[in-house]
Amino acid sequence: MAGHLVDLGVDILEAGFPIASEGDFESVDAVSKQYPWVQVAALARCCTLDIERAARALHYAKRPRIHTFIATSDIHLKYKLRRSRQQVLDDACAAVALARNYTDDVEFSAEDATRTDLEYLQQVCKEVVEAGARTVNLPDTVGYSVPEEYAELIGHIVGVLGDR
């Protein structure tokens, strides 16, 4: 599959979630070795073990990216993570900072962004960029938003972040 994506000109291959299984770890490692000119990303939750495992899987990548994520909507904070907004913000920033120890290219995703309180989402986005994230992703994790709303949210956050 990676070969077909490379042939199509895909510029970033998110090759796996290395902490999830040995197979995912091996896929990130294999893609990094086989396609050294391609940017290879590894997915990691906002926790030390995930970030370190992703970094190990990207050892051979010439252009590594660590893509870290955490849920930010109040419903996920309360029922899934059982954490406060401040705890999640701290975890997100710490994960980005840790990932920056391994690569200059860190992507952060605010899971369930479309159901996240806008002021809190702005705060999270600003602070992860300050911590070193080069890319911010705003997933509509549960399909909550319609295209016009989603475009407005993305445009708003782009305006908030500016040219950081």
Side-chain angles (χ1 to χ4, degrees), residues 135-149:
T135 302
V136 173
N137 185 17
L138 304 173
D140 184 18
T141 306
V142 298
Y144 176 78
S145 189
V146 296
E148 294 80 17
E149 293 170 330

Side-chain angles (χ1 to χ4, degrees), residues 3-129:
H4 291 296
L5 293 172
V6 169
D7 290 345
L8 288 170
V10 172
D11 58 345
I12 301 169
L13 299 181
E14 189 162 303
F17 189 7
I19 198 79
S21 70
E22 192 59 34
D24 270 41
F25 181 95
E26 291 170 1
S27 72
V28 173
D29 182 65
V31 170
S32 297
K33 288 176 182 173
Q34 189 165 358
Y35 304 100
W37 63 92
V38 173
Q39 187 167 18
V40 180
L43 189 62
R45 293 170 296 191
C46 285
C47 64
T48 301
L49 288 176
D50 280 34
I51 300 290
E52 290 175 348
R53 181 86 169 153
R56 282 194 303 276
L58 290 164
H59 177 74
Y60 294 102
K62 301 281 189 277
R63 298 174 55 213
R65 171 183 278 197
I66 295 177
H67 177 185
T68 190
F69 69 94
I70 195 166
T72 54
S73 68
D74 287 334
I75 195 164
H76 278 162
L77 269 62
K78 182 176 181 179
Y79 296 106
K80 177 181 175 182
L81 300 177
R82 295 182 174 90
R83 299 181 66 77
S84 71
R85 285 182 177 184
Q86 188 60 52
Q87 288 171 312
V88 166
L89 178 60
D90 292 345
D91 288 349
C93 291
V96 168
L98 177 60
R100 280 300 301 264
N101 290 328
Y102 298 104
T103 180
D104 289 338
D105 192 356
V106 177
E107 177 178 354
F108 171 79
S109 286
E111 183 185 352
D112 204 22
T114 56
R115 295 192 300 172
T116 300
D117 173 77
L118 186 57
E119 286 184 27
Y120 179 60
L121 184 61
Q122 291 173 184
Q123 180 185 14
V124 170
C125 291
K126 284 180 187 177
E127 292 195 27
V128 297
V129 168

